[in-house]
Amino acid sequence: MSADHFPSARVHRVALVNAVATLLLLFIGGLVTSKGAGLAVPDWPTTFGYNMFLYPWSKMIGGIFYEHSHRLVASAVGLLTLTLAFWLWLREQRKWLRWLGAAALAMVVLQGVIGGLRVILLEETLAIIHACLAQAFFALTVSLVLFTSQEWTREPQKIELSEAARVRRLCVLTTAMIYLQGFFGAVVRYTGTGIQLHLLVAALVALHVALLGARIMRLRLNEVKLLRPAVILMGLLILQLALGLGSYIGKFTQLGAFLPLFAIVALRTTHVVAGALMLVTSLALTLRSYRHLTFPHSLLRQGLPPEQFSV
Ligand code: HEM
């Protein structure tokens, strides 16, 4: 792939701002539910009958402040995604990336509609779908950051590795498991049930992250593009387990009564955000493993399947 494909630093910057704004949106969304402010504004797309953008700041008090801020930041993310999709469509040469930008736009519109319907129909299932789609959309925005970066337009530095297939598979499995864990977390969050399943998957996620981290470190690669996300993922896992424990204590045990409300809200909200960060870190590692790891050519020439060389 030649450097000509680099869509321009400006498109990359929009993708970056979009991903950061989406993370902020996830944080505010987490805050909205942790504070029980999800239904503070009963109508949609209007806010108490006002055009959403003209709702007076002086009336943004209590739960309305959180819910209305969530809608405003979501609109900003929608606008950024529209700009990015438009720009990619006009300037990007990689066809698949143009379509990925369009898919992000479709997804953000769908997410907005589901969020709105959740308010109108008072459906918990829609809240769970909204939470899962939010994580998937954040993952897509981070992928767009990677794909529009110079890193993705330069020729990748290939690392020949007999166990390339296994490492990639472990990456995919870990990412999928973290995403599934987000779904079970949303079920716990909105229904108060299913904590046993969430704990079981937490143990599986922890095992897979540890295995993946250990395997990447054992390879002693000079390539920090794989090592760095692996180390960050392990750090996030430790943080996430601690935040999960705090959320559990705050939500399900008598000890929660001794914790100040702001601490419980902070624990539950950061647990949602750290989950999203784990997902995108694992995804970045997965994408990079596919880009950089390759089977040794000498072994391939012997005509044996790569699996036979895995350690
Ligand atoms: C790798 C580990 C974990 C990940 C990736 C993870 C992820 C998540 C996510 C993303 C949510 C929120 C979903 C949403 O509403 O959008 C959640 C909720 C929750 N998680 Fe975890 N979790 C992990 C481990 C744990 C552990 C170990 C515990 C308990 C000891 C725990 C307890 C909870 C509780 C109580 C909630 C509901 C919080 C609330 O109602 O606000 N989690 N989890």
Side-chain angles (χ1 to χ4, degrees), residues 131 181-182 185-186 188-189 198-199 205 240 244-245 251 268 271:
Q181 176 69 330
V188 176
R189 193 171 171 81
H198 190 61
L199 291 179
V205 167
Q240 183 67 338
L245 182 64
K251 195 176 170 94
R268 291 171 60 186
H271 187 58

Side-chain angles (χ1 to χ4, degrees), residues 13-189:
R13 240 175 279 143
V14 175
L16 197 63
V17 173
N18 194 27
V20 173
T22 305
L23 184 64
L24 175 71
L25 182 58
L26 269 164
F27 174 75
I28 300 176
L31 214 53
V32 167
T33 25
S34 300
K35 287 187 88 62
L39 300 172
V41 179
D43 51 339
W44 178 84
T46 46
T47 297
F48 292 105
Y50 284 88
N51 172 326
M52 180 174 119
F53 301 106
L54 302 177
Y55 187 70
W57 285 90
S58 57
K59 294 192 178 191
M60 279 176 63
I61 43 166
I64 300 169
F65 172 77
Y66 296 101
E67 170 57 12
H68 191 64
S69 304
H70 181 59
R71 293 182 185 196
L72 292 179
V73 177
S75 307
V77 167
L79 202 63
L80 280 164
T81 311
L82 175 69
T83 311
L84 182 60
F86 186 64
W87 231 335
L88 282 173
W89 201 262
L90 288 184
R91 303 197 56 172
E92 175 56 53
Q93 293 178 31
R94 288 165 289 179
K95 198 173 167 195
W96 61 269
L97 188 47
R98 290 209 300 265
W99 281 105
L100 205 60
L105 183 58
M107 205 164 168
V108 81
V109 171
L110 179 69
Q111 176 71 338
V113 172
I114 291 175
L117 289 181
R118 188 265 181 275
V119 169
I120 296 170
L121 303 176
L122 305 175
E123 258 297 333
E124 294 290 277
T125 314
L126 286 177
I128 295 171
I129 295 173
H130 187 65
C132 295
L133 208 57
Q135 299 265 350
F137 178 71
F138 180 47
L140 184 51
T141 63
V142 171
S143 309
L144 286 169
V145 173
L146 272 180
F147 297 148
T148 55
S149 69
Q150 243 170 339
E151 173 191 342
W152 233 262
T153 49
R154 275 197 300 256
E155 205 54 54
Q157 187 202 345
K158 289 288 182 193
I159 302 163
E160 295 199 347
L161 200 70
S162 57
E163 54 180 317
R166 282 197 179 183
V167 175
R168 287 171 177 182
R169 246 194 334 254
L170 188 55
C171 284
V172 172
L173 196 63
T174 307
T175 307
M177 215 172 274
I178 295 172
Y179 186 70
L180 190 69
Q181 176 69 330
F183 164 70
F184 290 130
V187 172
V188 176
R189 193 171 171 81

Side-chain angles (χ1 to χ4, degrees), residues 209 212-217 224-236 281-282 285 288:
V209 169
L212 182 59
R215 186 160 275 195
I216 299 242
M217 289 214 278
V224 291
K225 288 195 166 61
L226 295 176
L227 192 59
R228 197 185 293 145
V231 171
I232 294 175
L233 187 59
M234 287 191 290
L236 281 171
T281 308
S282 184
L285 182 56
R288 282 176 171 169

Side-chain angles (χ1 to χ4, degrees), residues 247-267:
S247 305
Y248 178 81
I249 291 172
K251 195 176 170 94
F252 291 113
T253 70
Q254 310 246 318
L255 273 176
F258 297 101
L259 287 173
L261 186 64
F262 84 87
I264 296 177
V265 168
L267 282 166

